[in-house]
Amino acid sequence: MMHSSPMTVQNSSCEPSIKADNTAPLSLDQAKEKITRLVRPQSSHEQVSLTAALGRVLAQDVISPIDVPAHDNAAMDGYAFASLGDCAPEGRTLRIVGCALAGAAFLGQVNSGECVRITTGAVMPAGCDSVVPYEQLLAQNDTHITLPANADSAGVHRRLRGEDLQRGSTALHKGRLLTPSDLGLLASLGLTSVVVKTRLRVAFFSTGDEIRAQGEANQHGCVYDSNRYTLFGMLSRLGCVAIDLGIIPDDAVQLETAFRSACEQADVIITSGGVSQGSADLTRLTMSRLGEVSFWQIAMRPGRPMAFGRIHNGTRSALLFGLPGNPVAVMSSFYFLVRPALLRMMGADLVEPLLIPAVTMTALQKKAGRTEFQRGILKRNLQGHLEVSVTGSQGSGILRSMSEANCMIVLHHHQDQVHAGEVVDVTLFDGLI
């Protein structure tokens, strides 16, 4: 199991209160609104090396300590010279007086009628404002070049000092999830470390007497636990510290012990199973006993039974997401509700999944009054247009359909049946779940 050392969680007296809501199921938007009102970005941060910063959230703006580029330089291999503009004669000939390389500047002065051989990135010599690429020359030999008529414009193929970033300007804003290109940008500023938000700590476990761990005998009526592994993958990809508390049976005492232990170790707790209304569904009841339940039903499919609230253990508290037990419902609930909440707690500025319009190739059955997610395969047709088709049976226990899919088809609350050829919203899985 993937345990980590305990940390102090926010004192419950400083957090917004949660009032139980046992009315009709909330719409997806209403559930998001309730979660958003109760989620607070964490304030703790740390300084890490650039090699450890990928996927972390910037805790403060990064101000450029230098101009980028640090000097005027050549944008192409060729010859640097001083342009004459409109008064330049056709086929002007220049004498070669030296060579400028990246990292080895030409230190002399270049006068009118002279040029310097130059490589990409090399500092522009004094007196030069333009570069003509080799392939555009009318003629050249060891001592002279002949310019084409269109080469004599000031600034051609030259990059100016500070063109990318000026010293004192903001290179990256706080709240950004750092990407590989961001690491390159930070390195180009000469930085070796960056201040990021502390990684969010999330404890998770599966519930149910029927759940078996891998390696155990799979008795009749039992199933192997898949939810902890998908949760571990999604949390790890998100950059959280994933604390795996294993499988908890349908026992009120053991469940309460697990909740209290999780509350001691984590900022957020995620469970799977036990949030419906069956006699063995103890998660919601235990949540009510240890804290507050904000809601426990959402008008969405899959994922209708989902509890959200907060539990307490002494002076410590943690937000709790009680997800359904079906594997696809776990993933859709996490993707559209839990993930945005975790990103907000991490201080990220972009949290909602991007929706892309595509044409559905098949009719999609849907009832107005709930949001539905169907697993889809998105591709581009011969005309270059995006089209999507479902993976087959959409049962919430068919985990294979998630592996086959590359996107989720989002059928919104107000929509009813969708006909083939209509436009629907999809959101891609790549890089997200």
Side-chain angles (χ1 to χ4, degrees):
M1 291 192 287
M2 298 148 280
H3 295 271
S4 298
S5 57
M7 78 172 279
T8 301
V9 184
Q10 264 189 313
N11 190 301
S12 60
S13 63
C14 299
E15 298 168 341
S17 61
I18 296 177
K19 295 182 180 179
D21 185 352
N22 295 322
T23 58
L26 301 178
S27 69
L28 181 64
D29 287 341
Q30 289 172 328
K32 286 182 177 180
E33 183 180 353
K34 279 182 172 286
I35 294 172
T36 300
R37 287 203 306 264
L38 296 167
V39 166
R40 296 289 182 268
Q42 61 176 352
S43 58
S44 57
H45 56 268
E46 61 183 342
Q47 191 157 3
V48 300
S49 67
L50 293 190
T51 54
L54 184 63
R56 301 293 294 273
V57 177
L58 271 182
Q60 56 187 226
D61 292 347
V62 175
I63 306 301
S64 179
I66 60 174
D67 289 325
V68 181
H71 44 69
D72 289 6
N73 67 89
M76 296 190 71
D77 292 345
Y79 290 88
F81 65 101
S83 64
L84 297 180
D86 294 338
C87 63
E90 179 79 18
R92 185 160 69 106
T93 297
L94 303 177
R95 183 169 64 91
I96 304 171
V97 296
C99 181
L101 304 175
F106 177 79
L107 301 179
Q109 175 71 33
V110 180
N111 300 312
S112 179
E114 298 177 338
C115 67
V116 168
R117 184 179 292 109
I118 195 166
T119 61
T120 302
V123 175
M124 289 290 287
C128 295
D129 62 4
S130 300
V131 174
V132 57
Y134 295 128
E135 58 270 20
Q136 292 183 10
L137 293 172
L138 295 180
Q140 62 177 313
N141 55 40
D142 290 342
T143 59
H144 292 82
I145 65 171
T146 303
L147 299 176
N150 61 358
D152 246 320
S153 298
V156 174
H157 303 304
R158 177 189 61 172
R159 293 188 292 224
L160 297 176
R161 175 177 179 172
E163 183 176 281
D164 186 5
L165 277 172
Q166 293 185 351
R167 182 178 181 179
S169 64
T170 302
L172 292 172
H173 292 276
K174 68 177 180 179
R176 183 175 178 85
L177 278 167
L178 292 172
T179 64
S181 60
D182 294 334
L183 300 188
L185 174 59
L186 295 169
S188 74
L189 303 179
L191 303 178
T192 59
S193 62
V194 67
V195 179
V196 296
K197 290 285 189 177
T198 304
R199 294 174 68 191
L200 201 64
R201 301 172 60 83
V202 183
F204 61 101
F205 57 85
S206 297
T207 66
D209 290 339
E210 77 281 10
I211 307 299
R212 293 291 179 268
Q214 287 65 29
E216 294 181 352
N218 193 9
Q219 299 170 336
H220 182 68
C222 297
V223 294
Y224 284 121
D225 184 10
S226 64
N227 289 338
R228 279 171 42 244
Y229 290 88
T230 53
L231 283 170
F232 171 76
M234 292 186 291
L235 290 168
S236 297
R237 175 166 280 185
L238 201 54
C240 299
V241 177
I243 306 169
D244 183 359
L245 298 183
I247 301 170
I248 308 301
D250 292 322
D251 178 86
V253 174
Q254 292 189 59
L255 187 59
E256 180 173 336
T257 299
F259 273 142
R260 292 187 182 278
S261 174
C263 193
E264 288 291 313
Q265 302 181 61
D267 308 290
V268 178
I269 304 168
I270 302 176
T271 67
S272 63
V275 291
S276 189
Q277 292 179 288
S279 59
D281 292 332
L282 301 174
T283 299
R284 183 167 59 91
L285 297 175
T286 307
M287 284 178 66
S288 299
R289 188 164 58 251
L290 297 180
E292 308 89 28
V293 180
S294 178
F295 62 79
W296 61 279
Q297 288 191 93
I298 306 175
M300 68 182 235
R301 180 181 181 186
R304 177 186 174 93
M306 174 185 158
F308 169 69
R310 182 186 292 115
I311 64 169
H312 310 282
N313 188 35
T315 60
R316 300 174 187 250
S317 72
L319 288 180
L320 191 145
F321 294 90
L323 306 187
N326 283 321
V328 177
V330 165
M331 297 184 78
S332 60
S333 299
F334 183 95
Y335 185 37
F336 290 99
L337 288 163
V338 181
R339 182 179 181 274
L342 296 182
L343 285 170
R344 285 191 177 91
M345 293 184 73
M346 293 160 61
D349 54 3
L350 296 176
V351 298
E352 292 293 339
L354 178 65
L355 296 179
I356 303 169
V359 174
T360 177
M361 303 305 294
T362 56
L364 303 172
Q365 299 299 318
K366 163 77 163 60
K367 291 183 178 180
R370 71 183 179 196
T371 303
E372 294 192 14
F373 306 109
Q374 299 196 16
R375 284 78 80 193
I377 299 174
L378 182 69
K379 62 181 181 179
R380 197 175 295 278
N381 61 25
L382 295 176
Q383 291 73 42
H385 302 139
L386 291 175
E387 58 186 30
V388 65
S389 55
V390 295
T391 57
S393 177
Q394 297 294 298
S396 60
I398 304 176
L399 186 55
R400 178 173 55 86
S401 65
M402 292 294 279
S403 293
E404 293 175 347
N406 65 3
C407 70
M408 192 79 87
I409 303 170
V410 182
L411 303 177
H412 299 284
H413 190 85
H414 63 276
Q415 287 180 286
D416 51 19
Q417 182 172 343
V418 178
H419 301 284
E422 291 187 20
V423 175
V424 294
D425 282 334
V426 303
T427 186
L428 290 171
F429 285 166
D430 186 41
L432 296 171
I433 66 172

